[in-house]
C-alpha cells in the first residue's frame, strides 16, 4: 500500500502541549490573486483584458486566450507575493510601478534558489508581458534585456530518466484506485484522496492535455458524459493553440471515474461543510457500496462542479496542488517524479517509438500547431528503438 500525502503539508494542529516548540515556518510561496494586487494594478488589469464591444476596441490583452491571460496573471502574482513576503509591497503604487530593477533583482535571487534556469527565464518573460499590459506607456526594455540574458544561459535539465511509458502511468493510477477501494483500514478521506490521485494519473496519461486545462476541468462542461462515454471538451478560448480540443476518454477508465465521482468525490466535497457537521455523514456516503453506485447512470449524469477537489478544503484544487499531487504520487508509486508536463513528453516519446510511421500523431495528441515543437522527443525515441534492435542482434548472435 502506498501512503499518500495530503494536498499540502500539514501544520502542527493537535500536538501535545509538552512537545518541543516548532520553529516558525517560512511564509508559503503562492501566486497572489488579482484581488490582492495594488489598486492601480487591479484597475489596469481589468482594462487590459476588457473585451471589445461593438465599435469600442478592447484592452491591450483582449486578444489573448483566457488561459494565456490567466498564466500571465499567475506569474505576475508570484512577483506580487514576493513583494508582500519581503515587506516591499506598496498598495498605492502606480500600475506596474513596483516592477523596478531593484525589486526584480531581489525576486530573481529568490527564484534562483528554488527553480531551474528555464522556468526562471520563462517567469521573467511573463512578468514583463504582464507589466506591459498593465502600463503600455512605460518602457520595459531594461527588463527585456534581463530576460534575454537569462535565455542565453538557461540549461534545460535532462528529463530522459523521468520519461516513462504511458502504460506504466495508467497501470500505476488504476492500481492506486484498486488498492484504495480494497483496503478497509483507510479512512474515507484518505481513500478518497488516493482514488482521486490515481484517476488523475491514469486520465492525464491517456489524455495528456496541458495542466492549466486539466486543473480547470468541470463536470457537465469540459468533462462530460455523452451517451455512455466520457469526453474532455475544450473550446478554442481555453486552449493555447486557439483550436477546439475534444478527446474521448478510453473505456478502461470508466470504472475508476465512476468510483471517484459516486463514492469518493462526495467525501472530498463534504470537507467544505466540516464546520457545519457534514463530515459526520461521510459514512453514509459509502452505505450502498460501490457496485450499486456504478450502476446509477442518473447519478453520474447529475454530478457537477470542479472535477478535482482538495482534501484540505473541499474546493477546487489549485494549479500548484494538482502539480504536487501528481508529482508526489508518481514518485511514491513508480520511484520517479513525473510532473504533469512530463506526461506530455512521455506521450510524444511513446508515439515516436511505437508509431513512428505516423509523424503527425504526436503533434495532434499534444495540440502543437508547429510539428517541430514535438520533434525534440524523436531523438530519444529513436535511440530507444535502436537499443531494442541492438539487443535483439546481440541475442541473435549469441544463439548462433
Amino acid at each position: 500500500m502506498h501512503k499518500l500525502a495530503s494536498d499540502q503539508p500539514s501544520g502542527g494542529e493537535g500536538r501535545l502541549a509538552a512537545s518541543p516548540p516548532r520553529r516558525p515556518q517560512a511564509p508559503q510561496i503562492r501566486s497572489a490573486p488579482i484581488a490582492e494586487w495594488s489598486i492601480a494594478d487591479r484597475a489596469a488589469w481589468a482594462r487590459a483584458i476588457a473585451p471589445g464591444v461593438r465599435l469600442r476596441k478592447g484592452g491591450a490583452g483582449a486578444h489573448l486566450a483566457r488561459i494565456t491571460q490567466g498564466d500571465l496573471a499567475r506569474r505576475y502574482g508570484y512577483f506580487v507575493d514576493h513583494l508582500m513576503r519581503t515587506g516591499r509591497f506598496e498598495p498605492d503604487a502606480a500600475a506596474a510601478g513596483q516592477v523596478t530593477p531593484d525589486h526584480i533583482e531581489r525576486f530573481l535571487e529568490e527564484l534562483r534558489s528554488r527553480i531551474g534556469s528555464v522556468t526562471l527565464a520563462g517567469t521573467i518573460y511573463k512578468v514583463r508581458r504582464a507589466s506591459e499590459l498593465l502600463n503600455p506607456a512605460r518602457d520595459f526594455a531594461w527588463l527585456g534585456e534581463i530576460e534575454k540574458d537569462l535565455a542565453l544561459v538557461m540549461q534545460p535539465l535532462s528529463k530522459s530518466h523521468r520519461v516513462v511509458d504511458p502504460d506504466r502511468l495508467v497501470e500505476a493510477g488504476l492500481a492506486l484506485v484498486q488498492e484504495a477501494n480494497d483496503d478497509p483500514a483507510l479512512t474515507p478521506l484518505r481513500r478518497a484522496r488516493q482514488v482521486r490521485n490515481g484517476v488523475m494519473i491514469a486520465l492525464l496519461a491517456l489524455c495528456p492535455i496541458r495542466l492549466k486545462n486539466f486543473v480547470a476541468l468541470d463536470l457537465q462542461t469540459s468533462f462530460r458524459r455523452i451517451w455512455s462515454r466520457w469526453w474532455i471538451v475544450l473550446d478554442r478560448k481555453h486552449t493555447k493553440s486557439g483550436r477546439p480540443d475534444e478527446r474521448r476518454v478510453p473505456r478502461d477508465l470508466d470504472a475508476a471515474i465512476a468510483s471517484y465521482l459516486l463514492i469518493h468525490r462526495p467525501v472530498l466535497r463534504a470537507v467544505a461543510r466540516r464546520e457545519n457537521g457534514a463530515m459526520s455523514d461521510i459514512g453514509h456516503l459509502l452505505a450502498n457500496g460501490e457496485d450499486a453506485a456504478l450502476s446509477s447512470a442518473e447519478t453520474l449524469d447529475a454530478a457537477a462542479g470542479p472535477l478535482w477537489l482538495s482534501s484540505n478544503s473541499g474546493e477546487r484544487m489549485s494549479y500548484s496542488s494538482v502539480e504536487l499531487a501528481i508529482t508526489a504520487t508518481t514518485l511514491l508509486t513508480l520511484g520517479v517524479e513525473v510532473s504533469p508536463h512530463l506526461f506530455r513528453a512521455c506521450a510524444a516519446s511513446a508515439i515516436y517509438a511505437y508509431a513512428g510511421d505516423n509523424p503527425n500523431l504526436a503533434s495532434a495528441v499534444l495540440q502543437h500547431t508547429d510539428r517541430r515543437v514535438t520533434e525534440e522527443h524523436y531523438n530519444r525515441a529513436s535511440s530507444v528503438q535502436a537499443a531494442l534492435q541492438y539487443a535483439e542482434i546481440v541475442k541473435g548472435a549469441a544463439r548462433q
Side-chain angles (χ1 to χ4, degrees):
M1 170 54 60
H2 304 285
K3 184 178 180 182
L4 301 182
S6 60
D7 302 331
Q8 296 179 0
S10 60
E13 296 87 348
R15 294 185 179 273
L16 297 178
S19 300
R22 298 179 63 184
R23 294 181 180 180
Q25 295 183 348
Q28 183 180 2
I29 295 173
R30 64 186 182 120
S31 173
I34 296 172
E36 296 181 12
W37 295 4
S38 70
I39 298 172
D41 276 353
R42 296 201 301 267
W45 186 255
R47 290 193 298 269
I49 64 173
V53 179
R54 295 182 181 177
L55 299 178
R56 187 175 64 189
K57 185 179 179 181
H63 67 287
L64 299 174
R66 289 183 184 177
I67 194 168
T68 302
Q69 294 174 354
D71 188 34
L72 294 179
R74 184 172 63 87
R75 298 299 184 104
Y76 189 80
Y78 280 114
F79 172 67
V80 174
D81 172 67
H82 164 78
L83 296 177
M84 291 177 172
R85 287 184 289 100
T86 55
R88 295 182 175 84
F89 179 69
E90 300 175 17
D92 297 325
Q98 298 177 93
V99 183
T100 65
D102 179 58
H103 286 169
I104 289 294
E105 183 58 37
R106 292 176 183 272
F107 184 45
L108 283 171
E109 289 178 7
E110 178 184 282
L111 291 177
R112 287 190 179 101
S113 68
R114 61 183 179 84
I115 64 175
S117 59
V118 175
T119 306
L120 180 66
T123 297
I124 297 303
Y125 160 70
K126 291 177 180 179
V127 167
R128 176 183 61 79
R129 287 196 65 191
S131 301
E132 290 173 342
L133 291 177
L134 291 170
N135 193 342
R138 186 176 165 196
D139 184 6
F140 288 98
W142 61 271
L143 187 53
E145 292 301 316
I146 294 176
E147 174 191 324
K148 292 176 184 177
D149 290 342
L150 294 172
L152 284 174
V153 299
M154 67 180 185
Q155 297 180 346
L157 297 176
S158 174
K159 57 189 178 185
S160 60
H161 67 290
R162 293 184 289 144
V163 175
V164 301
D165 282 344
D167 64 330
R168 290 186 59 200
L169 294 169
V170 175
E171 181 181 0
L174 295 181
L176 283 172
V177 174
Q178 187 65 47
E179 288 179 6
N181 285 327
D182 291 345
D183 188 353
L186 290 177
T187 64
L189 187 58
R190 286 185 59 192
R191 183 178 295 110
R193 184 168 59 237
Q194 181 168 323
V195 169
R196 180 203 65 197
N197 292 353
V199 174
M200 276 184 179
I201 291 173
L203 180 61
L204 191 58
L206 290 171
C207 301
I209 60 177
R210 290 181 171 85
L211 179 58
K212 298 167 192 175
N213 297 125
F214 192 73
V215 171
L217 288 176
D218 277 311
L219 292 160
Q220 305 297 340
T221 54
S222 52
F223 191 78
R224 66 177 76 163
R225 265 167 64 90
I226 302 177
W227 296 104
S228 63
R229 301 298 300 274
W230 288 104
W231 285 75
I232 290 176
V233 182
L234 308 174
D235 63 43
R236 59 169 47 178
K237 295 180 180 179
H238 296 94
T239 63
K240 186 175 181 179
S241 64
R243 301 180 300 181
D245 187 359
E246 298 183 357
R247 303 169 188 242
R248 187 168 65 180
V249 178
R251 288 192 182 278
D252 295 346
L253 302 190
D254 281 358
I257 291 172
S259 172
Y260 170 62
L261 293 180
L262 296 177
I263 300 175
H264 305 292
R265 184 173 173 273
V267 174
L268 298 173
R269 189 174 61 237
V271 175
R273 305 191 299 273
R274 178 182 297 175
E275 294 182 359
N276 297 327
M279 286 299 286
S280 62
D281 297 331
I282 284 182
H284 178 69
L285 295 172
L286 306 177
N288 294 328
E290 183 176 3
D291 292 338
L294 293 180
S295 64
S296 176
E298 291 183 0
T299 306
L300 281 176
D301 291 334
L307 179 58
W308 311 121
L309 298 181
S310 168
S311 61
N312 293 329
S313 67
E315 305 293 339
R316 183 193 298 277
M317 293 180 71
S318 66
Y319 183 99
S320 58
S321 62
V322 172
E323 184 176 36
L324 174 62
I326 291 175
T327 304
T329 303
T330 53
L331 177 61
L332 288 169
T333 55
L334 298 172
V336 181
E337 287 187 343
V338 186
S339 67
H341 185 70
L342 272 177
F343 275 64
R344 295 168 61 79
C346 295
S349 294
I351 289 169
Y352 277 120
Y354 304 114
D357 56 342
N358 188 352
N360 296 317
L361 179 59
S363 296
V365 168
L366 301 183
Q367 278 276 298
H368 285 161
T369 54
D370 187 347
R371 184 179 143 193
R372 291 173 297 178
V373 176
T374 318
E375 287 182 346
E376 65 176 278
H377 306 289
Y378 177 76
N379 289 334
R380 177 184 179 273
S382 297
S383 65
V384 170
Q385 278 190 324
L388 292 173
Q389 293 174 7
Y390 175 67
E392 292 300 321
I393 292 172
V394 172
K395 291 178 182 178
R399 289 194 292 265
Q400 292 179 357

